[in-house]
Amino acid sequence: MRVGLTGGIGSGKSTVSGMLRELGAIVIDSDLLAREVVAPGTPGLARVVEAFGPEVLTPEGAMDRAKVGAIVFADPAQRQRLESIVWPLVREASQALAATAGPDDLVVHDIPLLVETDQQSSFDAVVVVDVPLETQVARLVGDRGWAEADARARIAAQATREERLAAATHVIDNTGSIDDLRRRVEELVVELRA
Ligand code: ADP
């Protein structure tokens, strides 16, 4: 069974994936893999340099994320070019990790932009961590110290709450306390294993 986990920024998705790990699930983190596949010395980074030039490297030979970000943010074609390098490598790496799981392991793919990248159909279950927009803003401002305008802009750049809920097979309401959340995650594990 392939399980995808997603949620808008500040919804509590990382908190949920941490709880799932504590409960013994194998959580495959696509953001982490997206960094690993372009780490110094990887074929992925070589392809990024081929596409964007050596100026996207730091003096230490790592990918300069700010420079690459500026290039792809300004130009959708460049962004697509980067994604066409990184995404297949991430998919390959996550499949390799999933292949190491035993038959009784619960494998969860943690993918922040699962809905935005239209991957829902490749999962048997899509778990969405859900809060109202104002709760996202309050947590990003209160816990992460973001400026409110930045929080709203980041949220607006993602799928809407409704779009995410439409893709969900399982919803985790995270409007309560952390203890409420943990109980809900425990319930979810039982539901997913059933
Ligand atoms: P995401 O990964 O979706 O961006 P996080 O899991 O990092 O979100 O959560 C965003 C912030 O909200 C974190 O500081 C986290 O500790 C806090 N948080 C998550 N769930 C709750 C909750 N139920 N009550 C209070 N704070 C929470």
Side-chain angles (χ1 to χ4, degrees), residues 8-15 139 143-144 174 176-178 181:
I9 186 157
S11 64
K13 181 190 60 60
S14 307
T15 307
R139 288 187 184 153
D143 296 355
R144 288 198 198 156
N174 188 22
S177 67
I178 291 281
L181 181 64

Side-chain angles (χ1 to χ4, degrees), residues 2-6 28-31 33-34 83 86-88 90-92 94-95 109-127 159 163 167-169:
R2 278 172 58 78
V3 179
L5 170 68
T6 194
I28 299 177
D29 178 336
S30 70
D31 269 1
L33 291 178
E83 287 171 350
V86 174
W87 281 354
V90 169
R91 215 164 294 133
E92 203 177 291
S94 65
Q95 278 163 4
H109 296 261
D110 175 342
I111 307 182
L113 300 182
L114 188 151
V115 172
E116 289 82 348
T117 55
D118 210 20
Q119 295 184 67
Q120 46 269 45
S121 61
S122 63
F123 293 97
D124 304 304
V126 174
V127 177
E163 286 165 340
T169 60

Side-chain angles (χ1 to χ4, degrees), residues 12 32 60 151:
L32 180 65
E60 293 76 33

Side-chain angles (χ1 to χ4, degrees), residues 14 17 28 43 47 62 66 71 73-74 76 80-81 83 90 105-106 109 115 120 123 135 138 174 185:
S14 307
S17 74
I28 299 177
R47 294 190 47 203
I71 293 170
F73 189 73
Q80 211 170 14
R81 200 163 170 209
E83 287 171 350
V90 169
D105 285 326
L106 181 59
H109 296 261
V115 172
Q120 46 269 45
F123 293 97
T135 305
N174 188 22
V185 171

